[in-house]
Amino acid sequence: AEHQHVRYNPLRDDWVLVSAHRVKRPWQGQLEKPPQEDVPRWDPKNPLCPGATRANGEVNPKYEGTFVFPNDFPALQPDAPEPDDSDHPLFRAAPAQGVCKVMCFHPWSDLTLPLMSLPEVRAVIDAWTELATELGASYPWVQIFENKGAMMGCSNPHPHCQVWASSFLPNEARLEDRTQRQHLSQHGLPMLLEYAEQEAHRKERLVVENADWLVVVPYWATWPYQTLLLPRRHVCRLQDLSDSEKDSLASIMQRLLIKYDNLFEVSFPYSMGWHGAPTGAYLEEDCRHWQLHAHYYPPLLRSATVRKFMVGYEMLAQAQRDLTPEQAAERLRNLPEVHFKKRAE
């Protein structure tokens, strides 16, 4: 806890430098603006609101639950032409097709997942599962991700996420496929199933748990309050979850996100996303080495206005963190599970 050391991340096959003493240094750098608190519940100029007009001229329906629509500015398109053949191995390109969708969690702009009801969070999980199944029927990778807060690049104050399906396995997916396959071959157990069992026993990095799930600050965490959401049984994909596991997932997600908000009493920014076994043609292959999991990457370090920057050494050498995962987990674990905005109610 007091001296620097490096920790191995078996999921990414890399290392992180842990320098817990650095969190004591005075901070005179960038201070972030706290998140906007006066977000209107409905704004006709907000393109994600029910009944609002989007950039392409389409009018949203007056939806009352979740709402999915094609991204008006997609990074991937299904009919993109293939690049020309390369004339040199150092200048290679490959085809990339896909679809990009946006999913609104709720019709109200002033809500976030930790402030939604459990049935509303469960509806989000159901919509994720439907999209993973629908797009996964033909695409090998379906990336569900949420960027929450302007600090993480979210340009719109409305509860939503994105879903990108690609004709290729992205870098992180290929890396996790290799490391998990190697672990199963060498040890006879899926890596993250074994890891969840170890963390449930050790408890020093445990944040929240229930009968089906646990959330930990991973031993190899890079972001200050990074967490990993893991099922207790062997599950390859979102669409493999039972109804009861989806209910308990809604509960543990809400508990985690309430703790995040309570940490600095602010709508906590993060990027999160689901990783599971590839789909498309991979549905017919043996993917037992995969274990479903979700990554949460929040940038805040000391307060609502001081963030961790991944620059310099992190970009040119390797990831470095300023407090131990055990310290971060203990702080999150000890936070109340009643949202700070509801304590006076």
Side-chain angles (χ1 to χ4, degrees):
E2 296 296 327
H3 303 287
Q4 69 268 14
H5 59 281
V6 292
R7 296 190 183 191
Y8 180 62
N9 181 346
L11 193 58
R12 300 197 73 258
D13 189 23
D14 64 10
W15 296 79
V16 57
L17 172 61
V18 182
S19 311
H21 56 284
R22 275 173 55 83
V23 80
K24 299 175 183 177
R25 73 192 192 280
W27 182 258
Q28 296 180 332
Q30 171 77 20
L31 295 179
E32 308 294 335
K33 291 182 180 179
Q36 183 181 351
E37 290 289 340
D38 57 343
V39 176
R41 180 156 291 181
W42 184 84
D43 182 353
K45 296 179 182 178
N46 186 330
L48 299 186
C49 282
T53 302
R54 303 202 308 273
N56 62 358
E58 290 192 21
V59 178
N60 295 334
K62 295 185 178 179
Y63 63 93
E64 298 181 350
T66 59
F67 169 51
V68 179
F69 62 92
N71 194 314
D72 297 329
F73 302 97
L76 293 162
Q77 296 176 323
D79 53 357
E82 295 190 6
D84 295 333
D85 291 336
S86 172
D87 62 355
H88 194 281
L90 293 178
F91 301 92
R92 290 190 295 168
Q97 287 91 28
V99 295
C100 298
K101 294 182 180 288
V102 176
M103 187 182 109
C104 295
F105 297 156
H106 196 281
W108 295 357
S109 294
D110 57 343
L111 280 188
T112 55
L113 282 171
L115 293 169
M116 289 163 55
S117 70
L118 277 177
E120 289 168 340
V121 178
R122 168 62 196 268
V124 170
I125 294 168
D126 288 338
W128 282 343
T129 305
E130 290 170 10
L131 283 170
T133 302
E134 172 195 339
L135 298 173
S138 52
Y139 287 101
W141 192 255
V142 180
Q143 184 59 65
I144 298 167
F145 65 97
E146 178 193 5
N147 295 324
K148 179 172 179 271
M151 201 181 301
M152 295 308 289
C154 180
S155 59
N156 195 294
H158 190 94
H160 71 285
C161 73
Q162 297 189 55
V163 183
W164 293 11
S166 61
S167 61
F168 55 91
L169 288 188
N171 293 341
E172 293 297 312
R174 287 192 292 112
L175 181 56
E176 288 193 4
D177 185 71
R178 175 176 64 82
T179 57
Q180 290 180 96
R181 189 184 299 275
Q182 289 174 344
H183 187 93
L184 180 64
S185 175
Q186 294 171 6
H187 302 280
L189 280 173
M191 177 199 295
L192 292 181
L193 180 63
E194 182 178 5
Y195 179 67
E197 292 172 350
Q198 285 289 321
E199 289 288 32
H201 172 72
R202 295 169 185 257
K203 296 191 180 303
E204 58 189 329
R205 285 169 294 275
L206 191 65
V207 177
V208 287
E209 63 179 329
N210 61 25
D212 300 312
W213 302 86
L214 67 156
V215 175
V216 301
V217 177
Y219 177 79
W220 51 79
T222 54
W223 293 92
Y225 293 96
Q226 176 181 335
T227 54
L228 186 62
L229 172 57
L230 295 161
R232 291 185 184 270
R233 75 171 178 95
H234 188 202
V235 183
C236 289
R237 302 176 177 94
L238 265 177
Q239 47 268 51
D240 297 332
L241 295 175
S242 67
D243 282 343
S244 63
E245 286 170 330
K246 291 175 186 175
D247 285 339
S248 57
L249 174 57
S251 173
I252 203 164
M253 281 175 51
Q254 188 182 66
R255 291 169 64 196
L256 169 65
L257 298 180
I258 287 173
K259 284 180 177 289
Y260 270 162
D261 280 10
N262 285 344
L263 180 60
F264 298 128
E265 296 199 346
V266 70
S267 184
F268 205 69
Y270 59 75
S271 284
M272 70 80 64
W274 285 99
H275 282 174
T279 48
Y282 292 89
L283 292 169
E284 305 300 321
E285 297 188 8
D286 183 358
C287 291
R288 286 176 299 166
H289 54 290
W290 271 92
Q291 174 75 332
L292 176 70
H293 59 282
H295 297 281
Y296 284 84
Y297 298 129
L300 293 179
L301 174 59
R302 303 181 187 211
S303 69
T305 59
V306 177
R307 67 180 298 178
K308 166 69 176 179
F309 288 92
M310 291 291 187
V311 296
Y313 188 85
E314 291 86 355
M315 295 175 69
L316 296 166
Q318 68 182 34
Q320 179 270 333
R321 60 178 292 118
D322 295 334
L323 75 166
T324 68
E326 293 76 26
Q327 291 167 335
E330 182 180 21
R331 189 164 182 189
L332 288 173
R333 185 169 56 245
N334 292 335
L335 289 167
E337 294 188 9
V338 176
H339 198 279
F340 72 91
K341 289 186 176 180
K342 295 185 175 181
R343 287 179 200 157
E345 294 179 3

